[in-house]
Amino acid sequence: LAIPAAVLTGMAFAAPIAAFSATQRTPEKFNAVFRFGITPLFLFSGTFFPVEQLPTALQALAWLTPLYHGVWLTRGLSLGTISDTPLLALVHTAILVAFVVVGTILAVRTISARLVRG
């Protein structure tokens, strides 16, 4: 059951990155995205240790990342604890879907603009 949540999490990352990639002419900026974006996400998203142990400011930052919501959903589905808080599971799912929708809209716009501009 955790596979659909993992796929949704991947899509939540892929759509905004696709929008970003359409604005780049060279691949050098992707190094910065991975170094300053993706790598810190693993540290501050609850992947390795609970977010509740982070300082309050970093907890708020974790809530803004798609990985936190994906980790919460997949962990709950894998462990069978998601039925304890079904409303919270819907919130996490809705946030991931919002990332996918907004990222897809931005990707379509930036790729279309790039194709028109040449």
Side-chain angles (χ1 to χ4, degrees), residues 34-102:
F34 281 100
R35 181 173 294 137
F36 300 114
I38 303 297
T39 302
L41 285 178
F42 286 108
L43 299 176
F44 302 123
S45 64
T47 306
F48 301 114
F49 57 90
V51 172
E52 292 78 25
Q53 293 180 353
L54 292 172
T56 307
L58 290 178
Q59 286 181 18
L61 182 65
W63 264 88
L64 298 175
T65 65
L67 188 58
Y68 169 74
H69 303 287
V71 165
W72 192 94
L73 281 174
T74 54
R75 185 173 288 142
L77 288 167
S78 297
L79 299 175
T81 59
I82 201 157
S83 60
D84 297 343
T85 54
L87 187 59
L88 192 55
L90 287 175
V91 169
H92 287 293
T93 304
I95 291 171
L96 284 175
V97 169
F99 270 103
V100 172
V101 169
V102 170

Short mmCIF file of all heavy atoms in Angstrom, two decimals, residues 34-102:
data_model
loop_
_atom_site.label_atom_id
_atom_site.label_comp_id
_atom_site.label_asym_id
_atom_site.label_seq_id
_atom_site.Cartn_x
_atom_site.Cartn_y
_atom_site.Cartn_z
N PHE A 34 20.47 19.99 -6.01
CA PHE A 34 20.69 18.78 -5.22
C PHE A 34 21.47 19.07 -3.94
O PHE A 34 21.16 18.52 -2.89
CB PHE A 34 21.41 17.72 -6.06
CG PHE A 34 20.48 17.02 -6.98
CD1 PHE A 34 20.42 17.36 -8.32
CD2 PHE A 34 19.64 16.02 -6.51
CE1 PHE A 34 19.55 16.72 -9.17
CE2 PHE A 34 18.76 15.38 -7.36
CZ PHE A 34 18.71 15.73 -8.70
N ARG A 35 22.46 19.95 -4.02
CA ARG A 35 23.27 20.23 -2.85
C ARG A 35 22.51 21.00 -1.78
O ARG A 35 22.59 20.70 -0.60
CB ARG A 35 24.52 21.02 -3.26
CG ARG A 35 25.43 21.32 -2.08
CD ARG A 35 26.74 21.93 -2.51
NE ARG A 35 27.49 20.94 -3.27
CZ ARG A 35 28.16 21.22 -4.40
NH1 ARG A 35 28.16 22.43 -4.88
NH2 ARG A 35 28.80 20.27 -5.04
N PHE A 36 21.76 22.03 -2.20
CA PHE A 36 21.10 22.90 -1.23
C PHE A 36 19.61 22.64 -1.10
O PHE A 36 18.95 23.23 -0.25
CB PHE A 36 21.33 24.36 -1.61
CG PHE A 36 22.78 24.74 -1.64
CD1 PHE A 36 23.38 25.08 -2.84
CD2 PHE A 36 23.54 24.72 -0.49
CE1 PHE A 36 24.72 25.42 -2.88
CE2 PHE A 36 24.87 25.05 -0.52
CZ PHE A 36 25.47 25.41 -1.71
N GLY A 37 19.06 21.76 -1.92
CA GLY A 37 17.64 21.46 -1.86
C GLY A 37 17.34 20.03 -1.47
O GLY A 37 16.77 19.77 -0.41
N ILE A 38 17.73 19.11 -2.30
CA ILE A 38 17.37 17.70 -2.09
C ILE A 38 18.08 17.10 -0.88
O ILE A 38 17.45 16.45 -0.04
CB ILE A 38 17.68 16.88 -3.36
CG1 ILE A 38 16.96 17.45 -4.58
CG2 ILE A 38 17.35 15.42 -3.15
CD1 ILE A 38 15.46 17.42 -4.50
N THR A 39 19.38 17.33 -0.76
CA THR A 39 20.13 16.73 0.35
C THR A 39 19.63 17.20 1.72
O THR A 39 19.39 16.36 2.60
CB THR A 39 21.63 17.00 0.19
OG1 THR A 39 22.06 16.47 -1.06
CG2 THR A 39 22.42 16.36 1.31
N PRO A 40 19.41 18.50 1.95
CA PRO A 40 18.86 18.90 3.26
C PRO A 40 17.46 18.36 3.51
O PRO A 40 17.08 18.18 4.67
CB PRO A 40 18.84 20.43 3.19
CG PRO A 40 19.89 20.77 2.21
CD PRO A 40 19.86 19.67 1.19
N LEU A 41 16.71 18.09 2.45
CA LEU A 41 15.38 17.52 2.66
C LEU A 41 15.45 16.19 3.40
O LEU A 41 14.61 15.90 4.26
CB LEU A 41 14.67 17.31 1.32
CG LEU A 41 14.13 18.53 0.63
CD1 LEU A 41 13.51 18.14 -0.69
CD2 LEU A 41 13.14 19.24 1.48
N PHE A 42 16.42 15.38 3.07
CA PHE A 42 16.55 14.09 3.74
C PHE A 42 16.87 14.27 5.22
O PHE A 42 16.48 13.46 6.04
CB PHE A 42 17.62 13.24 3.07
CG PHE A 42 17.18 12.67 1.77
CD1 PHE A 42 17.68 13.15 0.58
CD2 PHE A 42 16.23 11.67 1.74
CE1 PHE A 42 17.26 12.62 -0.63
CE2 PHE A 42 15.80 11.14 0.53
CZ PHE A 42 16.32 11.63 -0.65
N LEU A 43 17.59 15.33 5.55
CA LEU A 43 17.95 15.55 6.95
C LEU A 43 16.79 16.12 7.76
O LEU A 43 16.67 15.84 8.94
CB LEU A 43 19.15 16.50 7.01
CG LEU A 43 20.42 16.00 6.33
CD1 LEU A 43 21.50 17.07 6.38
CD2 LEU A 43 20.90 14.72 6.98
N PHE A 44 15.96 16.96 7.14
CA PHE A 44 14.93 17.69 7.88
C PHE A 44 13.51 17.26 7.54
O PHE A 44 12.57 18.03 7.76
CB PHE A 44 15.08 19.19 7.63
CG PHE A 44 16.43 19.72 8.00
CD1 PHE A 44 17.21 20.37 7.07
CD2 PHE A 44 16.93 19.55 9.28
CE1 PHE A 44 18.45 20.87 7.41
CE2 PHE A 44 18.17 20.04 9.63
CZ PHE A 44 18.93 20.70 8.70
N SER A 45 13.30 16.06 7.02
CA SER A 45 11.96 15.68 6.62
C SER A 45 11.41 14.48 7.38
O SER A 45 10.34 14.01 7.07
CB SER A 45 11.95 15.35 5.13
OG SER A 45 12.77 14.23 4.89
N GLY A 46 12.13 14.02 8.36
CA GLY A 46 11.66 12.87 9.12
C GLY A 46 12.06 11.54 8.51
O GLY A 46 11.55 10.50 8.92
N THR A 47 12.93 11.55 7.54
CA THR A 47 13.36 10.32 6.91
C THR A 47 14.19 9.48 7.88
O THR A 47 14.00 8.27 7.97
CB THR A 47 14.19 10.62 5.65
OG1 THR A 47 13.44 11.45 4.80
CG2 THR A 47 14.56 9.36 4.92
N PHE A 48 15.10 10.11 8.60
CA PHE A 48 16.02 9.38 9.47
C PHE A 48 15.68 9.50 10.96
O PHE A 48 16.01 8.63 11.73
CB PHE A 48 17.45 9.84 9.24
CG PHE A 48 17.90 9.63 7.82
CD1 PHE A 48 18.18 10.70 7.01
CD2 PHE A 48 18.01 8.35 7.31
CE1 PHE A 48 18.59 10.50 5.70
CE2 PHE A 48 18.42 8.15 6.00
CZ PHE A 48 18.70 9.23 5.19
N PHE A 49 15.08 10.62 11.37
CA PHE A 49 14.71 10.79 12.76
C PHE A 49 13.45 11.65 12.81
O PHE A 49 13.15 12.37 11.87
CB PHE A 49 15.84 11.42 13.59
CG PHE A 49 16.32 12.74 13.06
CD1 PHE A 49 15.74 13.93 13.49
CD2 PHE A 49 17.36 12.81 12.15
CE1 PHE A 49 16.18 15.15 13.01
CE2 PHE A 49 17.81 14.02 11.67
CZ PHE A 49 17.21 15.19 12.09
N PRO A 50 12.70 11.59 13.90
CA PRO A 50 11.40 12.29 13.96
C PRO A 50 11.55 13.80 13.84
O PRO A 50 12.46 14.41 14.41
CB PRO A 50 10.85 11.92 15.34
CG PRO A 50 11.61 10.72 15.76
CD PRO A 50 12.93 10.78 15.09
N VAL A 51 10.63 14.40 13.11
CA VAL A 51 10.62 15.85 12.92
C VAL A 51 10.34 16.55 14.25
O VAL A 51 10.79 17.67 14.47
CB VAL A 51 9.57 16.23 11.85
CG1 VAL A 51 9.38 17.73 11.77
CG2 VAL A 51 9.98 15.68 10.51
N GLU A 52 9.64 15.89 15.14
CA GLU A 52 9.30 16.50 16.42
C GLU A 52 10.54 16.82 17.25
O GLU A 52 10.47 17.63 18.17
CB GLU A 52 8.39 15.57 17.23
CG GLU A 52 7.01 15.40 16.64
CD GLU A 52 6.98 14.44 15.45
OE1 GLU A 52 7.88 13.56 15.36
OE2 GLU A 52 6.08 14.58 14.61
N GLN A 53 11.68 16.21 16.95
CA GLN A 53 12.91 16.48 17.67
C GLN A 53 13.65 17.69 17.13
O GLN A 53 14.61 18.16 17.75
CB GLN A 53 13.84 15.26 17.62
CG GLN A 53 13.31 14.08 18.37
CD GLN A 53 14.24 12.88 18.30
OE1 GLN A 53 15.23 12.90 17.59
NE2 GLN A 53 13.90 11.84 19.04
N LEU A 54 13.21 18.22 16.01
CA LEU A 54 13.84 19.40 15.42
C LEU A 54 13.38 20.66 16.15
O LEU A 54 12.32 20.67 16.77
CB LEU A 54 13.46 19.52 13.95
CG LEU A 54 14.00 18.46 13.00
CD1 LEU A 54 13.37 18.62 11.63
CD2 LEU A 54 15.51 18.56 12.89
N PRO A 55 14.15 21.75 16.05
CA PRO A 55 13.67 23.03 16.58
C PRO A 55 12.38 23.46 15.86
O PRO A 55 12.11 23.03 14.74
CB PRO A 55 14.82 24.00 16.27
CG PRO A 55 16.02 23.13 16.10
CD PRO A 55 15.52 21.82 15.57
N THR A 56 11.62 24.31 16.49
CA THR A 56 10.32 24.71 15.97
C THR A 56 10.41 25.29 14.56
O THR A 56 9.57 25.00 13.71
CB THR A 56 9.66 25.72 16.92
OG1 THR A 56 9.65 25.17 18.24
CG2 THR A 56 8.24 26.02 16.49
N ALA A 57 11.41 26.12 14.30
CA ALA A 57 11.55 26.73 12.98
C ALA A 57 11.79 25.66 11.91
O ALA A 57 11.24 25.75 10.80
CB ALA A 57 12.69 27.73 12.98
N LEU A 58 12.59 24.67 12.23
CA LEU A 58 12.85 23.61 11.25
C LEU A 58 11.66 22.69 11.09
O LEU A 58 11.46 22.10 10.03
CB LEU A 58 14.10 22.81 11.64
CG LEU A 58 15.43 23.57 11.51
CD1 LEU A 58 16.58 22.70 11.96
CD2 LEU A 58 15.63 24.03 10.09
N GLN A 59 10.84 22.54 12.14
CA GLN A 59 9.62 21.76 12.00
C GLN A 59 8.68 22.44 11.00
O GLN A 59 8.08 21.77 10.16
CB GLN A 59 8.91 21.62 13.35
CG GLN A 59 9.58 20.68 14.29
CD GLN A 59 8.84 20.56 15.61
OE1 GLN A 59 7.67 20.93 15.71
NE2 GLN A 59 9.51 20.04 16.62
N ALA A 60 8.57 23.75 11.09
CA ALA A 60 7.74 24.48 10.13
C ALA A 60 8.30 24.36 8.73
O ALA A 60 7.55 24.21 7.76
CB ALA A 60 7.65 25.96 10.54
N LEU A 61 9.61 24.38 8.60
CA LEU A 61 10.24 24.20 7.29
C LEU A 61 9.97 22.81 6.74
O LEU A 61 9.73 22.64 5.54
CB LEU A 61 11.75 24.45 7.40
CG LEU A 61 12.55 24.36 6.12
CD1 LEU A 61 12.13 25.46 5.16
CD2 LEU A 61 14.03 24.46 6.42
N ALA A 62 9.97 21.81 7.61
CA ALA A 62 9.69 20.44 7.17
C ALA A 62 8.28 20.33 6.61
O ALA A 62 8.05 19.59 5.66
CB ALA A 62 9.89 19.48 8.34
N TRP A 63 7.34 21.02 7.20
CA TRP A 63 5.96 20.96 6.71
C TRP A 63 5.83 21.52 5.29
O TRP A 63 4.87 21.21 4.59
CB TRP A 63 5.04 21.74 7.65
CG TRP A 63 4.38 20.84 8.63
CD1 TRP A 63 4.86 20.46 9.85
CD2 TRP A 63 3.14 20.17 8.46
NE1 TRP A 63 3.99 19.61 10.45
CE2 TRP A 63 2.91 19.41 9.62
CE3 TRP A 63 2.19 20.14 7.45
CZ2 TRP A 63 1.79 18.63 9.79
CZ3 TRP A 63 1.07 19.37 7.63
CH2 TRP A 63 0.88 18.62 8.79
N LEU A 64 6.78 22.35 4.87
CA LEU A 64 6.71 22.93 3.52
C LEU A 64 7.31 22.02 2.46
O LEU A 64 7.24 22.35 1.28
CB LEU A 64 7.45 24.28 3.51
CG LEU A 64 6.87 25.35 4.42
CD1 LEU A 64 7.76 26.58 4.42
CD2 LEU A 64 5.45 25.71 4.02
N THR A 65 7.88 20.91 2.85
CA THR A 65 8.55 20.04 1.88
C THR A 65 7.68 18.84 1.53
O THR A 65 6.99 18.30 2.40
CB THR A 65 9.88 19.53 2.44
OG1 THR A 65 9.63 18.71 3.57
CG2 THR A 65 10.79 20.68 2.84
N PRO A 66 7.70 18.41 0.29
CA PRO A 66 6.91 17.24 -0.08
C PRO A 66 7.44 15.95 0.52
O PRO A 66 6.67 15.02 0.76
CB PRO A 66 6.98 17.21 -1.61
CG PRO A 66 8.19 18.00 -1.96
CD PRO A 66 8.36 19.01 -0.87
N LEU A 67 8.72 15.88 0.80
CA LEU A 67 9.28 14.64 1.33
C LEU A 67 8.73 14.32 2.71
O LEU A 67 8.48 13.16 3.04
CB LEU A 67 10.81 14.70 1.36
CG LEU A 67 11.51 13.40 1.71
CD1 LEU A 67 11.13 12.29 0.73
CD2 LEU A 67 13.01 13.60 1.73
N TYR A 68 8.52 15.33 3.54
CA TYR A 68 7.96 15.10 4.87
C TYR A 68 6.59 14.43 4.76
O TYR A 68 6.31 13.45 5.46
CB TYR A 68 7.84 16.42 5.64
CG TYR A 68 7.02 16.28 6.90
CD1 TYR A 68 7.54 15.63 8.01
CD2 TYR A 68 5.73 16.77 6.96
CE1 TYR A 68 6.78 15.48 9.16
CE2 TYR A 68 4.96 16.63 8.10
CZ TYR A 68 5.49 15.98 9.19
OH TYR A 68 4.74 15.84 10.32
N HIS A 69 5.76 14.94 3.87
CA HIS A 69 4.41 14.39 3.72
C HIS A 69 4.47 12.98 3.12
O HIS A 69 3.71 12.10 3.52
CB HIS A 69 3.56 15.32 2.84
CG HIS A 69 3.49 16.70 3.42
ND1 HIS A 69 2.75 17.00 4.53
CD2 HIS A 69 4.09 17.85 3.04
CE1 HIS A 69 2.89 18.28 4.82
NE2 HIS A 69 3.70 18.82 3.93
N GLY A 70 5.38 12.77 2.19
CA GLY A 70 5.54 11.44 1.61
C GLY A 70 6.06 10.43 2.62
O GLY A 70 5.60 9.29 2.67
N VAL A 71 7.02 10.85 3.44
CA VAL A 71 7.55 9.96 4.48
C VAL A 71 6.45 9.62 5.48
O VAL A 71 6.31 8.47 5.88
CB VAL A 71 8.77 10.63 5.18
CG1 VAL A 71 9.12 9.92 6.48
CG2 VAL A 71 9.96 10.65 4.26
N TRP A 72 5.67 10.61 5.87
CA TRP A 72 4.59 10.37 6.83
C TRP A 72 3.59 9.35 6.27
O TRP A 72 3.19 8.42 6.97
CB TRP A 72 3.90 11.68 7.18
CG TRP A 72 2.99 11.57 8.35
CD1 TRP A 72 3.32 11.86 9.65
CD2 TRP A 72 1.64 11.12 8.36
NE1 TRP A 72 2.23 11.61 10.45
CE2 TRP A 72 1.18 11.17 9.68
CE3 TRP A 72 0.77 10.71 7.37
CZ2 TRP A 72 -0.09 10.79 10.04
CZ3 TRP A 72 -0.52 10.33 7.73
CH2 TRP A 72 -0.94 10.37 9.05
N LEU A 73 3.20 9.55 5.01
CA LEU A 73 2.23 8.63 4.41
C LEU A 73 2.80 7.22 4.24
O LEU A 73 2.15 6.24 4.60
CB LEU A 73 1.78 9.16 3.05
CG LEU A 73 0.75 10.28 3.06
CD1 LEU A 73 0.53 10.79 1.65
CD2 LEU A 73 -0.54 9.79 3.66
N THR A 74 3.98 7.11 3.69
CA THR A 74 4.53 5.78 3.45
C THR A 74 4.84 5.06 4.76
O THR A 74 4.64 3.85 4.86
CB THR A 74 5.80 5.83 2.58
OG1 THR A 74 6.74 6.73 3.18
CG2 THR A 74 5.49 6.27 1.18
N ARG A 75 5.29 5.79 5.76
CA ARG A 75 5.54 5.15 7.05
C ARG A 75 4.23 4.66 7.67
O ARG A 75 4.15 3.55 8.18
CB ARG A 75 6.24 6.14 7.99
CG ARG A 75 6.64 5.50 9.31
CD ARG A 75 7.47 6.43 10.15
NE ARG A 75 8.79 6.57 9.56
CZ ARG A 75 9.48 7.70 9.53
NH1 ARG A 75 8.99 8.79 10.07
NH2 ARG A 75 10.67 7.74 8.97
N GLY A 76 3.20 5.48 7.60
CA GLY A 76 1.91 5.08 8.15
C GLY A 76 1.32 3.89 7.41
O GLY A 76 0.74 2.99 8.02
N LEU A 77 1.46 3.88 6.09
CA LEU A 77 0.94 2.76 5.31
C LEU A 77 1.76 1.49 5.52
O LEU A 77 1.22 0.39 5.58
CB LEU A 77 0.90 3.13 3.82
CG LEU A 77 -0.18 4.14 3.44
CD1 LEU A 77 0.08 4.67 2.03
CD2 LEU A 77 -1.55 3.52 3.53
N SER A 78 3.05 1.63 5.64
CA SER A 78 3.91 0.46 5.84
C SER A 78 3.71 -0.17 7.21
O SER A 78 3.72 -1.39 7.34
CB SER A 78 5.38 0.85 5.67
OG SER A 78 5.63 1.29 4.37
N LEU A 79 3.56 0.68 8.21
CA LEU A 79 3.42 0.18 9.57
C LEU A 79 1.98 -0.12 9.97
O LEU A 79 1.74 -0.69 11.03
CB LEU A 79 4.03 1.18 10.56
CG LEU A 79 5.51 1.47 10.41
CD1 LEU A 79 5.95 2.57 11.37
CD2 LEU A 79 6.32 0.21 10.60
N GLY A 80 1.04 0.29 9.12
CA GLY A 80 -0.36 0.06 9.43
C GLY A 80 -0.93 1.01 10.46
O GLY A 80 -1.98 0.73 11.04
N THR A 81 -0.28 2.13 10.69
CA THR A 81 -0.76 3.09 11.69
C THR A 81 -1.52 4.26 11.07
O THR A 81 -1.91 5.17 11.79
CB THR A 81 0.43 3.65 12.50
OG1 THR A 81 1.34 4.28 11.60
CG2 THR A 81 1.13 2.55 13.26
N ILE A 82 -1.73 4.22 9.78
CA ILE A 82 -2.38 5.35 9.13
C ILE A 82 -3.85 5.46 9.51
O ILE A 82 -4.42 6.54 9.49
CB ILE A 82 -2.18 5.28 7.59
CG1 ILE A 82 -2.38 6.66 7.00
CG2 ILE A 82 -3.10 4.25 6.97
CD1 ILE A 82 -1.71 6.84 5.68
N SER A 83 -4.45 4.35 9.90
CA SER A 83 -5.86 4.38 10.29
C SER A 83 -6.08 5.07 11.64
O SER A 83 -7.21 5.38 11.99
CB SER A 83 -6.43 2.97 10.32
OG SER A 83 -5.72 2.19 11.26
N ASP A 84 -5.01 5.33 12.37
CA ASP A 84 -5.14 6.04 13.65
C ASP A 84 -5.54 7.50 13.44
O ASP A 84 -6.27 8.07 14.25
CB ASP A 84 -3.83 5.99 14.43
CG ASP A 84 -3.43 4.57 14.80
OD1 ASP A 84 -4.30 3.67 14.75
OD2 ASP A 84 -2.25 4.38 15.14
N THR A 85 -5.04 8.11 12.36
CA THR A 85 -5.34 9.52 12.06
C THR A 85 -5.69 9.66 10.58
O THR A 85 -4.89 10.17 9.79
CB THR A 85 -4.14 10.41 12.41
OG1 THR A 85 -2.99 9.89 11.74
CG2 THR A 85 -3.88 10.47 13.91
N PRO A 86 -6.88 9.23 10.19
CA PRO A 86 -7.23 9.28 8.77
C PRO A 86 -7.36 10.69 8.22
O PRO A 86 -7.04 10.93 7.05
CB PRO A 86 -8.56 8.53 8.70
CG PRO A 86 -9.11 8.59 10.07
CD PRO A 86 -7.95 8.66 11.00
N LEU A 87 -7.80 11.64 9.03
CA LEU A 87 -7.93 13.01 8.55
C LEU A 87 -6.56 13.61 8.25
O LEU A 87 -6.38 14.29 7.24
CB LEU A 87 -8.68 13.87 9.57
CG LEU A 87 -9.03 15.28 9.13
CD1 LEU A 87 -9.90 15.25 7.88
CD2 LEU A 87 -9.72 16.02 10.25
N LEU A 88 -5.60 13.33 9.10
CA LEU A 88 -4.24 13.81 8.87
C LEU A 88 -3.64 13.17 7.62
O LEU A 88 -2.90 13.81 6.87
CB LEU A 88 -3.37 13.54 10.09
CG LEU A 88 -2.01 14.22 10.14
CD1 LEU A 88 -2.13 15.72 9.99
CD2 LEU A 88 -1.31 13.88 11.44
N ALA A 89 -3.98 11.92 7.37
CA ALA A 89 -3.52 11.25 6.15
C ALA A 89 -4.08 11.94 4.91
O ALA A 89 -3.37 12.11 3.91
CB ALA A 89 -3.92 9.78 6.17
N LEU A 90 -5.34 12.36 4.98
CA LEU A 90 -5.93 13.10 3.86
C LEU A 90 -5.26 14.45 3.66
O LEU A 90 -5.07 14.89 2.52
CB LEU A 90 -7.43 13.28 4.08
CG LEU A 90 -8.27 12.03 3.90
CD1 LEU A 90 -9.73 12.32 4.26
CD2 LEU A 90 -8.17 11.51 2.49
N VAL A 91 -4.89 15.10 4.76
CA VAL A 91 -4.19 16.39 4.65
C VAL A 91 -2.84 16.20 3.96
O VAL A 91 -2.49 16.95 3.04
CB VAL A 91 -4.02 17.03 6.04
CG1 VAL A 91 -3.08 18.22 5.99
CG2 VAL A 91 -5.37 17.45 6.60
N HIS A 92 -2.09 15.19 4.38
CA HIS A 92 -0.78 14.93 3.77
C HIS A 92 -0.94 14.58 2.28
O HIS A 92 -0.16 15.03 1.44
CB HIS A 92 -0.06 13.79 4.49
CG HIS A 92 0.47 14.20 5.83
ND1 HIS A 92 1.49 15.10 5.99
CD2 HIS A 92 0.12 13.81 7.09
CE1 HIS A 92 1.76 15.25 7.28
NE2 HIS A 92 0.93 14.47 7.96
N THR A 93 -1.96 13.80 1.97
CA THR A 93 -2.21 13.44 0.57
C THR A 93 -2.58 14.67 -0.24
O THR A 93 -2.10 14.85 -1.36
CB THR A 93 -3.32 12.38 0.48
OG1 THR A 93 -2.95 11.25 1.28
CG2 THR A 93 -3.55 11.94 -0.95
N ALA A 94 -3.43 15.52 0.32
CA ALA A 94 -3.85 16.74 -0.39
C ALA A 94 -2.66 17.66 -0.64
O ALA A 94 -2.57 18.28 -1.71
CB ALA A 94 -4.93 17.46 0.41
N ILE A 95 -1.76 17.75 0.31
CA ILE A 95 -0.58 18.60 0.12
C ILE A 95 0.30 18.05 -0.99
O ILE A 95 0.79 18.81 -1.85
CB ILE A 95 0.18 18.75 1.45
CG1 ILE A 95 -0.64 19.58 2.42
CG2 ILE A 95 1.56 19.37 1.23
CD1 ILE A 95 -0.11 19.62 3.83
N LEU A 96 0.49 16.74 -1.02
CA LEU A 96 1.28 16.14 -2.10
C LEU A 96 0.60 16.34 -3.46
O LEU A 96 1.27 16.66 -4.45
CB LEU A 96 1.50 14.65 -1.84
CG LEU A 96 2.54 14.32 -0.78
CD1 LEU A 96 2.57 12.82 -0.53
CD2 LEU A 96 3.90 14.82 -1.17
N VAL A 97 -0.71 16.19 -3.50
CA VAL A 97 -1.44 16.41 -4.76
C VAL A 97 -1.31 17.87 -5.18
O VAL A 97 -1.16 18.17 -6.38
CB VAL A 97 -2.91 15.98 -4.61
CG1 VAL A 97 -3.75 16.45 -5.78
CG2 VAL A 97 -3.01 14.47 -4.46
N ALA A 98 -1.34 18.80 -4.23
CA ALA A 98 -1.16 20.22 -4.56
C ALA A 98 0.22 20.47 -5.16
O ALA A 98 0.35 21.23 -6.13
CB ALA A 98 -1.37 21.07 -3.31
N PHE A 99 1.25 19.84 -4.59
CA PHE A 99 2.59 19.96 -5.18
C PHE A 99 2.59 19.46 -6.62
O PHE A 99 3.20 20.08 -7.50
CB PHE A 99 3.62 19.17 -4.36
CG PHE A 99 4.26 19.94 -3.26
CD1 PHE A 99 3.89 19.74 -1.95
CD2 PHE A 99 5.26 20.85 -3.52
CE1 PHE A 99 4.48 20.44 -0.92
CE2 PHE A 99 5.87 21.57 -2.51
CZ PHE A 99 5.48 21.36 -1.19
N VAL A 100 1.94 18.34 -6.87
CA VAL A 100 1.90 17.77 -8.22
C VAL A 100 1.15 18.70 -9.17
O VAL A 100 1.63 18.99 -10.27
CB VAL A 100 1.26 16.37 -8.20
CG1 VAL A 100 1.03 15.86 -9.61
CG2 VAL A 100 2.12 15.39 -7.42
N VAL A 101 0.00 19.19 -8.75
CA VAL A 101 -0.82 20.04 -9.63
C VAL A 101 -0.11 21.36 -9.94
O VAL A 101 0.01 21.75 -11.10
CB VAL A 101 -2.21 20.29 -9.00
CG1 VAL A 101 -2.97 21.36 -9.74
CG2 VAL A 101 -3.00 19.00 -8.96
N VAL A 102 0.38 22.02 -8.91
CA VAL A 102 1.07 23.31 -9.13
C VAL A 102 2.34 23.09 -9.94
O VAL A 102 2.63 23.85 -10.89
CB VAL A 102 1.37 23.99 -7.78
CG1 VAL A 102 2.29 25.19 -7.97
CG2 VAL A 102 0.08 24.41 -7.10
#
